[in-house]
Amino acid sequence: MRRIQSTISYITTSLLLLLLLCSVTSCIDNEEYANNPRGNFEALWKIMDEHYCFFSQKGIDWQEVHQRYAKQFDASMNEKQQFEVLTNMLSELKDGHVNLYTSFNIGRYWAWRDNYPKNYSDSLERKYLKSDYLIASGLDYTVFDDNIGYIRCESFQNPIGAGNLDDILLHLQPCNGLIIDVRNNGGGQLSNAEELAARFTNKEELVGYIQHKTGPGHNDFSPLQPEYLTPGKGIRWQKPVVVLTNRSVFSAANEFVKYMKCCPNVHIVGDKTGGGAGLPFSSELPNGWSVRFSACPMYDRDKQMTEFGIDPDYKVDITESDLIKGKDTIIEFARQLIAK
């Protein structure tokens, strides 16, 4: 019950704060800045200045960024030129979860992902799942030849039913261990991530903390509020578990990894996650373009920020030689870990 109450309180508080912040931002956008290149620049800079949460952690002098980029705007700029310079300004944050949306493109910073190995292959995944795998609540699952269960969870967008989880875990119950593959999982509903993780603990676990932005200052935050994971009803898994991760795990999937690190008999294998678990905030520029970014700092149970990703227990990359042989190095390492 505590888990449900905590989630409801989290959502209610977050929505109230978002409504307040959005009303303030709307006032700033529509009343203070004109719909021209300089006005759009000033509006975007101000939105980030008042609502972005990670200037201090990244050591960014946002005022200095303003001084540099203000010189690049003039009334003769067309939309494509404005977009390019505004995207460059946002890239100063080096944050893959900051996006500028227009009718013709999406501004993004993907170096946090593209500068690293993908550590995932669709063709390899299908080879391991074969053709007779089972599907329930958006989860693909099967049993490998060495009696290790495998669940592929590519998104937390769709609801995960309690009855479906009972059926999945009952089917996998004879297995010696379980691999949960969340690589390339871009997130979805936090409640779905929590529903799945709750099947891997027998007691309430402190899994982390959350903060909310409370004012326009760079350090205006609420006190840390604890997050708890309560054991789920129904079948709970009691054997070894390995969770597979890569740089394209973020949002609710990032939180799932955080939860699982607190559960017994669980190891995280692969690459660092992408982060970005904070509740998203969005606002609009005078010209109708919108910006979206994480606006709630999230922490693990040791009060370490998880916005920039979670390190695995075992750092493993897919090797070129294994790829040629049709093997997934990360899955094979997980199988060996469970077999020990």
Side-chain angles (χ1 to χ4, degrees):
M1 186 67 180
R2 185 175 183 180
R3 174 166 65 98
I4 296 174
Q5 291 174 339
S6 175
T7 301
I8 293 174
S9 175
Y10 162 75
I11 293 172
T12 302
T13 303
S14 299
L15 287 175
L16 288 173
L17 284 167
L18 278 177
L19 288 172
L20 176 60
L21 289 172
C22 285
S23 65
V24 172
T25 302
S26 177
C27 178
I28 291 172
D29 292 348
N30 296 331
E31 295 184 16
E32 289 193 19
Y33 301 112
N35 182 10
N36 57 40
R38 184 56 185 256
N40 289 316
F41 159 71
E42 294 291 352
L44 180 59
W45 183 90
K46 189 69 169 180
I47 290 167
M48 304 306 296
D49 182 60
E50 294 189 347
H51 302 297
Y52 187 69
C53 297
F54 309 108
F55 290 116
S56 298
Q57 288 82 358
K58 295 189 172 186
I60 296 171
D61 185 343
W62 195 235
Q63 188 64 50
E64 186 275 332
V65 171
H66 181 280
Q67 293 172 359
R68 277 193 290 120
Y69 280 86
K71 303 172 185 176
Q72 302 181 43
F73 286 87
D74 62 65
S76 66
M77 298 176 75
N78 60 38
E79 283 192 333
K80 301 295 176 63
Q81 291 169 330
Q82 291 181 63
F83 175 81
E84 180 180 356
V85 181
L86 290 177
T87 298
N88 289 341
M89 180 182 75
L90 292 178
S91 294
E92 296 280 346
L93 300 172
K94 293 181 171 56
D95 191 328
H97 312 106
V98 177
N99 296 112
L100 180 64
Y101 295 90
T102 74
S103 62
F104 55 86
N105 202 355
I106 299 177
R108 69 269 186 190
Y109 176 82
W110 278 355
W112 60 275
R113 182 184 68 181
D114 292 344
N115 288 348
Y116 299 89
K118 287 184 171 46
N119 282 320
Y120 175 76
S121 165
D122 286 321
S123 59
L124 287 182
E125 176 198 311
R126 292 302 150 188
K127 182 175 180 179
Y128 280 86
L129 278 172
K130 299 182 179 178
S131 59
D132 58 347
Y133 64 92
L134 290 78
I135 306 172
S137 280
L139 302 175
D140 301 340
Y141 62 106
T142 191
V143 178
F144 292 155
D145 294 338
D146 53 359
N147 199 37
I148 291 176
Y150 175 81
I151 297 177
R152 170 65 180 143
C153 178
E154 61 183 16
S155 174
F156 284 115
Q157 290 288 356
N158 300 318
I160 298 177
N164 296 121
L165 281 179
D166 283 340
D167 289 340
I168 293 171
L169 294 178
L170 183 62
H171 179 81
L172 299 174
Q173 198 66 40
C175 296
N176 298 326
L178 178 61
I179 296 171
I180 303 177
D181 192 343
V182 295
R183 290 177 294 175
N184 280 31
N185 185 323
Q189 298 297 318
L190 187 60
S191 58
N192 295 329
E194 188 177 7
E195 185 73 36
L196 181 57
R199 296 303 185 101
F200 298 94
T201 181
N202 294 317
K203 64 182 181 69
E204 184 176 73
E205 301 279 0
L206 172 67
V207 292
Y209 299 86
I210 184 173
Q211 278 184 310
H212 297 284
K213 198 78 164 61
T214 58
H218 287 188
N219 297 306
D220 291 343
F221 295 104
S222 68
L224 291 176
Q225 301 172 10
E227 296 178 293
Y228 294 94
L229 179 68
T230 300
K233 296 179 180 179
I235 297 174
R236 293 198 293 271
W237 188 263
Q238 308 296 330
K239 300 176 185 179
V241 181
V242 176
V243 178
L244 309 187
T245 60
N246 67 355
R247 292 272 173 170
S248 292
V249 173
F250 55 94
S251 189
N254 193 77
E255 280 292 278
F256 173 75
V257 175
K258 184 178 83 174
Y259 297 160
M260 293 298 286
K261 283 183 75 78
C262 300
C263 296
N265 301 316
V266 177
H267 290 103
I268 313 300
V269 171
D271 204 352
K272 187 174 185 175
T273 64
L279 194 70
F281 173 83
S282 60
S283 190
E284 192 171 288
L285 307 189
N287 63 358
W289 297 352
S290 61
V291 61
R292 188 176 186 270
F293 51 91
S294 298
C296 287
M298 310 288 278
Y299 303 82
D300 64 18
R301 62 181 174 182
D302 297 321
K303 299 183 179 180
Q304 299 300 306
M305 185 171 285
T306 60
E307 173 65 23
F308 313 125
I310 298 171
D311 289 318
D313 299 315
Y314 298 91
K315 174 69 168 66
V316 181
D317 295 325
I318 296 178
T319 66
E320 188 66 31
S321 60
D322 275 349
L323 194 60
I324 294 172
K325 296 174 185 177
K327 291 185 178 181
D328 187 318
T329 314
I330 298 173
I331 289 180
E332 294 301 328
F333 184 94
R335 295 169 77 168
Q336 294 173 14
L337 192 62
I338 290 174
K340 287 184 179 179

